């Protein structure tokens, strides 16, 4: 019988890539989708199949991390082998505007899910998506022993979720691991991030729809990796004999300016001609971000394969192709080289819809 996985935040960048990865490994995948006034399933539309298709492996349900009863009932009905908790309010800047909501969803949402697992009595492995934002202004490089010093409501909420995951592992003997992931990008990244702002602007400029790219400071440095590689580590953590926590990153830092220059150079444009200063206020530049993922290499056997330049090319090609333009074309070659085309191997088609409740389908 196929193993079952339950994913919160399945409509996000990581959730959609993780669903594809697990489907490619033969899992039956169940995803939690937050109900909104507009559809927010574009990243998983290709996985949604006709609900009457007997061979389908992907199921999705409306739910919310603020509703502990629903989480408990879903887990009881689905009875997954693995739970991947990726859902959260993940925007650090927005967390200053919505601190109470961020705490409720990002921090307490994790407790609700851990409690749902504990109270259901189901033997399950649990993954908690943590964040480098828990480190805040602690000096780099960052590993599993670096002190936490979060500087945003989001970072504080993630720190709470991390420690609660660790406490449930110790006190209730749950198999519960946290992945402390550094920045990871892809064509499915939020359009408000500097990387997607850059690659989308390039596509718009080439299509003569925009004239400039507007960014705040280009000085901040990031440890950037490729998202589909990072979701592999989530799966690897739950295949270990013992639950533990892992920092995931490349160990290499690049500035926003370097990303911009590399992206414009790739399509033969002078970045200085097109870059304009965004006059709106922005967060102060923080410390240089460099992950120390030596524990993941040693215990999980994981190392990043996609380089910084390859990441830029993958993202630029994708946004250019979205507008129907001819792309330079290195992106797909890079993906094939690293065998990262999970979506091409996952079953599904865009003809299905969301379920109302799993229990109803089993009667």
């Amino acid at each position: 019988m196929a193993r079952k996985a339950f994913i919160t935040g399945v409509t996000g960048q990581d959730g959609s890539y993780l669903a594809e990865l697990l489907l490619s490994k033969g899992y039956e995948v169940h995803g939690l989708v937050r109900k909104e006034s507009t559809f927010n399933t574009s990243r998983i539309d290709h996985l949604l199949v006709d609900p009457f298709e007997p061979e389908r492996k992907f199921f999705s349900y409306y739910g919310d991390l603020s509703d502990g009863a629903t989480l408990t009932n879903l887990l009881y009905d689905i009875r997954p082998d693995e739970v991947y908790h990726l859902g959260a309010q993940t925007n650090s800047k927005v967390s200053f505007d919505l601190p109470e909501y961020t705490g409720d969803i990002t921090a307490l949402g994790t407790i609700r899910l851990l409690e749902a697992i504990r109270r259901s009595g189901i033997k399950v492995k649990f993954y908690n998506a943590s964040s480098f934002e828990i480190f805040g202004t602690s000096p780099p490089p960052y590993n599993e022993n670096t002190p936490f010093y979060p500087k945003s409501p989001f970072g504080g909420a993630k720190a709470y979720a991390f420690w609660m995951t660790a406490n449930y592992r110790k006190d209730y003997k749950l198999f519960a691991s946290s992945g402390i992931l550094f920045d990871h990008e892809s064509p499915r990244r939020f359009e408000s991030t500097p990387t997607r702002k850059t690659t989308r602007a390039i596509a718009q400029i080439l299509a003569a729809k925009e004239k400039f790219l507007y960014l705040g400071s280009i000085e901040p440095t990031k440890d950037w990796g490729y998202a589909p590689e990072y979701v592999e580590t989530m799966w690897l953590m739950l295949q270990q004999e013992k639950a533990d926590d892992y920092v995931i990153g490349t160990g290499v830092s690049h500035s926003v300016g370097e990303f911009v220059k590399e992206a414009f150079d790739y399509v033969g444009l002078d970045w200085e001609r097109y870059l304009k200063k965004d006059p709106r206020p922005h967060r102060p530049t923080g410390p240089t971000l460099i992950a120390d993922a030596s524990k993941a290499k040693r215990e999980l056997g994981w190392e990043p394969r996609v380089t910084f330049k390859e990441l830029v090319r993958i993202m630029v090609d994708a946004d250019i192709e979205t507008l129907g333009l001819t792309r330079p074309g290195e992106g797909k070659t890079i993906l094939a080289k690293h065998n990262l085309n999970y979506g091409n191997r996952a079953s599904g088609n865009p003809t299905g819809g969301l379920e109302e409740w799993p229990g109803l389908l089993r009667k």
Side-chain angles (χ1 to χ4, degrees):
M1 181 179 293
R3 283 190 285 178
K4 295 181 182 180
F6 177 62
I7 304 173
T8 69
V10 73
T11 59
Q13 169 189 255
D14 292 3
S16 62
Y17 282 126
L18 178 61
E20 290 173 350
L21 172 64
L22 295 177
L23 288 169
S24 77
K25 292 181 178 296
Y27 279 67
E28 181 179 297
V29 178
H30 300 257
L32 185 71
V33 178
R34 179 163 51 91
K35 177 64 176 174
E36 296 182 341
S37 58
T38 58
F39 289 112
N40 62 339
T41 61
S42 60
R43 296 183 182 94
I44 61 168
D45 279 346
H46 63 295
L47 302 179
L48 299 175
V49 301
D50 190 316
F52 301 106
E53 170 56 52
E55 300 300 321
R56 67 180 178 142
K57 295 291 186 181
F58 182 77
F59 304 82
S60 50
Y61 318 98
Y62 285 124
D64 199 284
L65 292 171
S66 65
D67 185 355
T70 295
L71 295 174
T72 301
N73 290 333
L74 277 169
L75 289 173
Y76 183 80
D77 282 342
I78 296 169
R79 306 188 75 82
D81 301 288
E82 298 170 2
V83 172
Y84 295 88
H85 177 40
L86 313 184
Q89 191 299 101
T90 58
N91 189 302
S92 182
K93 182 180 178 181
V94 169
S95 75
F96 285 96
D97 299 323
L98 302 172
E100 182 178 346
Y101 175 78
T102 299
D104 184 29
I105 299 302
T106 305
L108 297 183
T110 305
I111 275 289
R112 293 184 185 104
L113 191 54
L114 286 166
E115 271 293 286
I117 292 171
R118 184 182 72 85
R119 292 172 67 85
S120 70
I122 299 171
K123 187 176 178 61
V124 66
K125 292 184 175 182
F126 175 79
Y127 170 82
N128 170 53
S130 191
S131 167
F132 67 90
E133 294 257 2
I134 62 178
F135 296 128
T137 56
S138 289
Y142 304 96
N143 59 35
E144 294 80 7
N145 297 315
T146 302
F148 294 178
Y149 191 10
K151 301 296 288 184
S152 70
F154 169 72
K158 280 293 186 181
Y160 177 91
F162 175 92
W163 285 122
M164 290 302 99
T165 300
N167 287 343
Y168 272 67
R169 179 171 66 223
K170 178 181 178 181
D171 296 337
Y172 298 114
K173 310 305 179 186
L174 297 184
F175 190 108
S177 297
S178 287
I180 307 172
L181 274 57
F182 278 67
D183 278 298
H184 43 291
E185 314 295 309
S186 79
R188 299 181 191 176
R189 192 74 157 106
F190 291 127
E191 296 175 354
S192 59
T193 58
T195 53
R196 282 300 309 286
K197 279 184 180 179
T198 299
T199 57
R200 290 185 71 248
I202 287 173
Q204 295 286 332
I205 290 169
L206 292 174
K209 294 184 176 182
E210 299 287 347
K211 294 183 178 180
F212 303 108
L213 162 65
Y214 290 90
L215 288 177
S217 173
I218 62 172
E219 301 301 322
T221 56
K222 306 279 187 177
D223 185 331
W224 274 312
Y226 183 49
E229 289 193 290
Y230 283 44
V231 302
E232 287 182 347
T233 69
M234 302 174 187
W235 178 78
L236 287 170
M237 289 180 209
L238 298 197
Q239 311 316 304
Q240 305 305 301
E241 292 185 5
K242 180 182 177 182
D244 208 344
D245 307 315
Y246 297 88
V247 165
I248 303 298
T250 69
V252 180
S253 183
H254 295 276
S255 70
V256 174
E258 287 178 85
F259 189 99
V260 172
K261 183 179 186 304
E262 187 66 38
F264 275 88
D265 284 350
Y266 177 50
V267 295
L269 297 177
D270 180 1
W271 68 277
E272 292 182 294
R273 176 182 172 186
Y274 296 98
L275 181 63
K276 297 291 184 181
K277 174 71 174 179
D278 185 341
R280 294 173 295 182
H282 296 271
R283 291 180 63 189
T285 300
T288 298
L289 298 177
I290 302 177
D292 173 9
S294 55
K295 181 179 177 181
K297 177 181 178 181
R298 183 174 64 252
E299 297 187 9
L300 303 180
W302 179 86
E303 287 186 275
R305 290 162 286 168
V306 175
T307 67
F308 174 71
K309 288 188 176 183
E310 289 177 334
L311 170 65
V312 174
R313 283 157 170 70
I314 291 169
M315 293 181 66
V316 171
D317 273 2
D319 274 320
I320 290 176
E321 185 177 24
T322 297
L323 294 184
L325 303 177
T326 302
R327 60 190 186 281
E330 293 184 30
K332 287 191 175 180
T333 301
I334 294 166
L335 292 174
K337 179 179 73 171
H338 296 300
N339 194 28
L340 287 168
N341 295 310
Y342 298 133
N344 295 336
R345 300 199 299 270
S347 62
N349 60 60
T351 63
L354 297 175
E355 307 303 338
E356 292 185 3
W357 191 255
L360 296 177
L361 303 178
R362 288 165 168 76
K363 290 182 179 179

